[in-house]
């Protein structure tokens, strides 16, 4: 998608971070804020967001008994992403809307590249096949020590999925990967995920206002 295909006002914002950092909570709070500001938007998640994406999600996030090579995991996630781009992201940006996503390609670099140990250049190349080179305007990484994310998830009482079951060292590697990616990739900012959901929400709003002053009010 070239910039010429995007209508004025379109924005693609992605929340990222380790499991249990609070992305889903923050997407809901941001979506309510965008509604209050009258900003047309689509809020969605990855893998998922389309019928094929949700079907793939149920395979990728099955229990640990669904054993698969890291390469299969990568290809499944990217198969979902290609549909997500075609059916959700591009149409919304072409209509001048805001897209707010819970995870995108930075997750693939952090989990399949750094976490699973796949070759980073190959992962990057595979991502660009799925996305056609489309990148978000901003990634906000919610940063939280892996143990605290795990603790937050325990309160939900759900059984760990395949990826969550990969263990503490995997979660630690993913957190470090995000920090490294934030230091080396353009358009990635880190926000502390500590504190109450409202504390984190205020930090995120302040970042968006600083980054996109024409879209978000500066008094937040
Ligand atoms: N994946 C995904 C890849 O490996 N590669 C990829 O390319 C992509 C796109 C997705 C999985 O897929 C992998 C990564 C993931 O393992 P998911 O369920 O979407 O799975 O991701 P999770 O991060 O596992 O989702 P969670 O819902 O568990 O975590 P969230 O969304 O970060 O956190 P949230 O908001 O659900 O909060 C978790 C708990 O903490 C509480 C909430 O109420 C909830 O109980 N909470 C807080 N508690 C205290 N203080 C706060 N500030 C809190 N904020 C939320």
């Amino acid at each position: 998608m070239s910039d010429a295909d995007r209508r004025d006002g379109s924005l693609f914002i992605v929340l990222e971070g380790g499991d249990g950092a609070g992305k889903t909570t923050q997407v809901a709070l941001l979506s309510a804020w965008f509604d209050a500001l009258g900003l047309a938007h689509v809020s969605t998640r990855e893998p998922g967001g389309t019928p094929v994406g949700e079907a793939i999600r149920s395979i990728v996030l099955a229990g640990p008994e669904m054993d698969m090579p890291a390469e299969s995991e990568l290809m499944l996630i990217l198969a979902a992403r290609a549909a997500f781009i075609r059916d959700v992201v591009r149409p919304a940006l072409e209509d001048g809307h805001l897209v707010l996503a819970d995870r995108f390609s930075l997750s693939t670099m952090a989990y399949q590249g750094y976490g699973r140990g796949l070759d980073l250049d190959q992962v990057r190349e595979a991502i660009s096949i799925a996305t056609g080179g489309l990148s978000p305007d901003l990634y906000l990484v919610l940063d939280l020590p892996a143990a605290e994310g795990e603790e937050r998830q325990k309160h939900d009482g759900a059984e760990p999925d395949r990826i969550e079951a990969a263990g503490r060292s995997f979660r630690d590697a993913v957190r470090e990967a995000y920090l490294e990616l934030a230091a080396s990739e353009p358009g990635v900012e880190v926000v502390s995920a500590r504190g109450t959901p409202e504390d984190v929400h205020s930090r995120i709003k302040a970042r968006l206002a600083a980054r996109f002053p024409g879209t978000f009010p500066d008094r937040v």
Side-chain angles (χ1 to χ4, degrees), residues 20-22 141-144 148 152 191-197 200 203:
V141 175
L142 300 189
D143 179 54
L144 193 69
E148 292 179 37
R152 284 184 183 178
V191 177
S192 167
R194 279 195 157 140
T196 66
V200 182
R203 278 179 215 130

Side-chain angles (χ1 to χ4, degrees), residues 66-81:
M66 179 78 83
D67 183 36
M68 69 176 78
E71 289 81 357
S72 301
E73 187 175 276
L74 172 70
M75 297 304 173
L76 282 166
I77 286 167
L78 295 182
R81 184 157 309 143

Side-chain angles (χ1 to χ4, degrees), residues 96-192:
H97 294 168
L98 201 155
V99 177
L100 175 62
D102 185 339
R103 299 189 179 279
F104 190 62
S105 299
L106 210 64
S107 285
T108 320
M109 293 296 291
Y111 283 78
Q112 282 65 52
Y114 288 80
R116 299 293 196 205
L118 295 178
D119 181 88
L120 289 177
D121 289 335
Q122 287 184 344
V123 172
R124 215 183 280 279
E125 210 166 306
I127 288 172
S128 81
I129 294 173
T131 62
L134 183 68
S135 304
D137 296 296
L138 181 65
Y139 280 112
L140 287 173
V141 175
L142 300 189
D143 179 54
L144 193 69
E148 292 179 37
E150 209 169 336
E151 210 42 53
R152 284 184 183 178
Q153 285 184 312
K154 273 189 194 145
H155 289 293
D156 289 344
E159 286 298 309
D161 60 47
R162 279 178 55 256
I163 297 177
E164 287 160 1
R168 176 65 59 77
S169 61
F170 182 84
R171 285 175 180 250
D172 286 337
V174 166
R175 184 195 186 198
E176 288 310 312
Y178 274 120
L179 296 177
E180 219 172 298
L181 287 162
S184 60
E185 302 274 322
V188 183
E189 292 188 20
V190 178
V191 177
S192 167

